[in-house]
Amino acid sequence: MAAERAFENAARTPDPSAPELAATTVAPQLPWSQSLLAQMAAAREGAEGTVEYGRPQVVSRSAASAVVRSCLHDQEVVISLDDGQPVPGPAGQVAYELFQSTMVRIDSGWKLETQTIGVGQCRGS
């Protein structure tokens, strides 16, 4: 949840160097997220709205890693910072999404390592 909230917060401005990203995420997800946020900044885009995280469930776990799945109601959309309008395409639309996150245990705790998002793979309740 901390990694999700870190990205959600960093996307609002957007800020690829937000310290909470590195505090909650590791490679390969961290550089991917930072690259996406840098692209958003260059395009003068940001995010607004909220995310309802559903009921995350651990679907597999070992001492070093865990896989967590959740159906989210993603109401955080990407907008143009110039006019406040949603961008065209999926990033500018509210959606129900299946998130599958692989978490790894490091000395400081659990961090997000990889994540896949399946748009349209969950239904609203």
Side-chain angles (χ1 to χ4, degrees), residues 41-71:
R44 297 213 19 86
E45 296 171 349
E48 69 177 15
T50 60
V51 178
E52 294 175 24
Y53 291 99
R55 294 186 181 109
Q57 296 188 358
V58 176
V59 295
S60 69
R61 182 176 180 174
S62 70
S65 68
V67 176
V68 181
R69 284 190 193 141
S70 188
C71 284

Side-chain angles (χ1 to χ4, degrees), residues 16-103:
S17 62
E20 63 265 28
L21 289 174
T24 59
T25 311
V26 296
Q29 188 68 38
L30 179 59
W32 185 90
S33 295
Q34 290 170 320
S35 175
L36 177 59
L37 292 166
Q39 290 171 29
M40 288 173 65
R44 297 213 19 86
E45 296 171 349
E48 69 177 15
T50 60
V51 178
E52 294 175 24
Y53 291 99
R55 294 186 181 109
Q57 296 188 358
V58 176
V59 295
S60 69
R61 182 176 180 174
S62 70
S65 68
V67 176
V68 181
R69 284 190 193 141
S70 188
C71 284
L72 311 177
H73 187 206
D74 189 353
Q75 300 169 81
E76 183 180 59
V77 296
V78 177
I79 61 165
S80 165
L81 294 176
D82 294 327
D83 64 14
Q85 296 299 308
V87 299
Q93 299 174 0
V94 171
Y96 287 92
E97 302 165 337
L98 175 64
F99 273 52
Q100 181 164 301
S101 305
T102 301
M103 308 296 295

